[in-house]
Amino acid sequence: MMLRRGFILFLPRLVGLLVVACCSVSIVYMLACTPKGDNQQLALPRVHSPTAKEGNEVILQEQEEQRHNYIISLKKQIAQLKAELQGRSEQLKNMQDQYPDPLDIRLDHSNPEKAQANLLAFLRSQIDKAEVHSGVKLSTEYAAVPFESFTLQKVYQLETGLTRHPEEKPVRKDKRDELIEVIELAVGSLNNPEGDGDAKHRVYTASDFIEGIYRTEKDKGTLYELTFKGDTKHQFKKIVLFRPFGPVMKVKNENVNMADTLINVIVPLAKRASKFRQFMQNFRIHLTVVYFGKEQMNEVKSILENTSKSANFKNFTFIQLNEEFSRGKGLDVGARFWKGNNVVLFFCDVDIYFTAEFLNSCRLNTQPGKKVFYPVLFSQYNPSIIYGHHDSIPSLEQQLIIKKETGFWRDFGFGMTCQYRSDFINIGGFDLDIKGWGGEDVHLYRKYLHSNLIVIRTPVRGLFHLWHEKQCLDELTPEQYKMCMQSKAMNEASHGQLGMLVFKQEIETHLHRQKLRSKK
């Protein structure tokens, strides 16, 4: 690597020297070909020599031959220098093609060998750029990329969210396969050391693996450091591996026109007329309401009619079912009721707030027969705890901010989803045996995961779950009640805010003592 870099640095200097040499030869050539001045006298002929005229002709002929030969010699030298300069230029170009700039790598598929060499050079350069052999200067303590550790059975991770644990078995298949592959490669490297020849050594297995650490620099690759048992108690074997990321490659470049893509928002509802009134303030596209029972039904219909008149909103369907509430049944009925062209279905709840930007995300991340969208929404904490007194609670629009003090990503929920109606029908819809609220969303999500459709799962900034009080009924068993209260606590406030509530008395006592001291 160092020799190659030195050669590349020396080539421009060599080319410069050749250019100077060419210029020097050209100058000599010009001087040699310039006619001599009149003050230079020719040699006088001898007494018994030919006549002066004949003598001058002979001398001029000799001088002309000398000049001609000299010019031919100079031309040959210039031609040789030009050929050498061209050769060096082509050599430099070949070197640049063979070892291109990693930031501007181009894979020429018409020349597979060259493309493979370019890619290999790029991947090797990734190791030099990553924090493998030396560290880099960072601006703050938060800029460091942390490692995570793992053993044969467990992964110990920092970024857990709400569904993962600090210590857990790798659930995702790609993560399991990744770590298994790394351990197997390390064992293979230990059993086939370079340069040992036929020397005998112990045979390592995965059971000799003690622990490993790994971290990923998103633009460079993943670094793995694995530790194995050595020959004695205090000896260890350490293997360092690096999985370089390849160059970014263009997959698709297309124009997407969503002007005619209609979204049918389907909301199952029972009672909760006040929440529905708030929901309708946010609404401007086709809405399908599947209402269970008759209690508060007239109030909900009145809200629909008033919105229709005030906002000229006529794209809604109202379906009434005289049966026990079932979220899955309501969404399924609403989806199948649609008789128009293939439409994007957004399964929604009445306590959800979404923006126009989210509706664009809903359209862009769905494709019939190809993709379904499962956004992760931001769930609000209790505004009374976040903002203190009721008088200081801002308006709803001002509450829609994404911070760890105001809410959390609801990564355990799968109820809000966008998909084309054709995909929903083809997958078999909801499991109608599930009654009440909950469970039907996970069942549908698993159906999509088991299909050939691409499931897009990502946090979105324009979809909010508005806080509402959670009721834990007395009819629940002690274990169910405990779980309900834990869920309620998680939705009330952040860890720090709940801690402040627990230590409220202690904090007030401290403030009171400080006040007394200041008076003294």
Side-chain angles (χ1 to χ4, degrees), residues 288-354:
T288 298
V289 178
V290 181
Y291 197 87
F292 289 81
K294 294 184 179 180
E295 187 176 353
Q296 299 185 19
M297 183 185 70
N298 291 332
E299 186 176 352
V300 168
K301 293 178 72 173
S302 175
I303 294 169
L304 274 172
E305 291 169 359
N306 291 336
T307 303
S308 175
K309 293 176 182 177
S310 61
N312 194 24
F313 174 68
K314 301 186 182 303
N315 296 327
F316 68 88
T317 302
F318 187 85
I319 304 170
Q320 197 260 334
L321 300 177
N322 290 317
E323 55 185 88
E324 182 183 356
F325 177 82
S326 169
R327 184 177 186 272
K329 175 68 175 293
L331 294 172
D332 200 90
V333 168
R336 296 178 188 277
F337 189 84
W338 178 263
K339 303 303 180 186
N341 295 330
N342 200 12
V343 66
V344 176
L345 304 176
F346 172 35
F347 295 149
C348 191
D349 290 331
V350 73
D351 51 9
I352 298 298
Y353 184 97
F354 56 85

Side-chain angles (χ1 to χ4, degrees), residues 153-434:
Q153 302 296 333
K154 299 289 182 65
V155 174
Y156 303 86
Q157 53 203 2
L158 287 176
E159 299 179 3
T160 59
L162 291 174
T163 58
R164 295 185 295 167
H165 303 282
E167 175 199 81
E168 68 178 15
K169 292 183 178 181
V171 176
R172 280 173 30 194
K173 183 179 183 298
D174 62 326
K175 178 59 66 177
R176 287 199 311 272
D177 292 347
E178 174 194 8
L179 298 180
I180 290 172
E181 179 190 13
V182 167
I183 294 173
E184 289 176 349
L185 283 172
V187 170
S189 178
L190 289 171
N191 289 327
N192 297 281
E194 297 179 359
D196 276 7
D198 297 330
K200 292 183 178 180
H201 53 79
R202 60 176 287 189
V203 177
Y204 289 87
T205 65
S207 61
D208 295 311
F209 175 64
I210 299 174
E211 68 172 355
I213 60 174
Y214 69 98
R215 71 173 175 184
T216 299
E217 294 181 69
K218 297 295 180 66
D219 59 335
K220 301 176 184 71
T222 302
L223 174 66
Y224 308 89
E225 297 186 9
L226 296 89
T227 304
F228 290 80
K229 297 174 185 176
D231 295 329
T232 66
K233 180 180 179 181
H234 299 291
Q235 287 185 340
F236 303 92
K237 288 283 189 178
K238 193 166 188 179
I239 299 291
V240 178
L241 302 172
F242 188 75
R243 187 192 301 271
F245 292 159
V248 177
M249 302 179 69
K250 183 174 71 176
V251 176
K252 185 186 296 184
N253 184 353
E254 62 179 349
N255 294 321
V256 181
N257 185 0
M258 293 295 175
D260 299 325
T261 305
L262 181 65
I263 297 180
N264 184 3
V265 180
I266 303 177
V267 179
L269 188 62
K271 307 175 186 178
R272 308 186 72 183
S274 59
K275 282 289 182 182
F276 184 70
R277 180 177 289 105
Q278 183 184 53
F279 177 81
M280 286 304 297
Q281 295 173 0
N282 166 53
F283 212 83
R284 291 295 178 272
I285 51 179
H286 193 95
L287 171 66
T288 298
V289 178
V290 181
Y291 197 87
F292 289 81
K294 294 184 179 180
E295 187 176 353
Q296 299 185 19
M297 183 185 70
N298 291 332
E299 186 176 352
V300 168
K301 293 178 72 173
S302 175
I303 294 169
L304 274 172
E305 291 169 359
N306 291 336
T307 303
S308 175
K309 293 176 182 177
S310 61
N312 194 24
F313 174 68
K314 301 186 182 303
N315 296 327
F316 68 88
T317 302
F318 187 85
I319 304 170
Q320 197 260 334
L321 300 177
N322 290 317
E323 55 185 88
E324 182 183 356
F325 177 82
S326 169
R327 184 177 186 272
K329 175 68 175 293
L331 294 172
D332 200 90
V333 168
R336 296 178 188 277
F337 189 84
W338 178 263
K339 303 303 180 186
N341 295 330
N342 200 12
V343 66
V344 176
L345 304 176
F346 172 35
F347 295 149
C348 191
D349 290 331
V350 73
D351 51 9
I352 298 298
Y353 184 97
F354 56 85
T355 64
E357 288 76 15
F358 165 73
L359 294 178
N360 284 333
S361 298
C362 186
R363 294 183 178 98
L364 290 169
N365 287 293
T366 53
Q367 187 176 344
K370 186 71 175 291
K371 292 190 296 187
V372 296
F373 186 38
Y374 270 84
V376 180
L377 53 80
F378 192 76
S379 190
Q380 281 188 324
Y381 289 137
N382 187 343
S384 299
I385 297 178
I386 298 172
Y387 302 104
H389 301 292
H390 289 277
D391 297 339
S392 61
I393 297 177
S395 64
L396 176 61
E397 287 73 16
Q398 292 175 320
Q399 295 179 38
L400 301 178
I401 52 177
I402 299 175
K403 292 183 178 180
K404 66 178 182 179
E405 296 84 6
T406 61
F408 61 95
W409 291 114
R410 205 177 186 89
D411 57 352
F412 53 84
F414 306 96
M416 308 309 119
T417 173
C418 299
Q419 64 267 288
Y420 272 84
R421 182 179 181 274
S422 58
D423 292 328
F424 176 77
I425 299 299
N426 291 336
I427 207 72
F430 283 102
D431 183 356
L432 301 183
D433 292 332
I434 299 176

Side-chain angles (χ1 to χ4, degrees), residues 110-164:
S110 63
N111 189 342
E113 292 183 359
K114 181 181 177 181
Q116 186 176 4
N118 286 352
L119 181 58
L120 184 60
F122 176 84
L123 295 178
R124 285 173 177 166
S125 71
Q126 292 287 69
I127 301 177
D128 296 330
K129 291 189 296 182
E131 277 193 90
V132 177
H133 302 300
S134 61
V136 297
K137 294 181 180 180
L138 301 174
S139 56
T140 70
E141 64 272 26
Y142 302 107
V145 180
F147 282 86
E148 293 184 347
S149 59
F150 64 98
T151 63
L152 281 175
Q153 302 296 333
K154 299 289 182 65
V155 174
Y156 303 86
Q157 53 203 2
L158 287 176
E159 299 179 3
T160 59
L162 291 174
T163 58
R164 295 185 295 167

Side-chain angles (χ1 to χ4, degrees), residues 31-42 63 66-67:
L31 291 174
C33 295
T34 303
K36 295 185 178 181
D38 295 337
N39 60 339
Q40 289 183 320
Q41 296 180 355
L42 300 176
Q63 290 179 344
Q66 291 176 358
R67 288 195 187 97

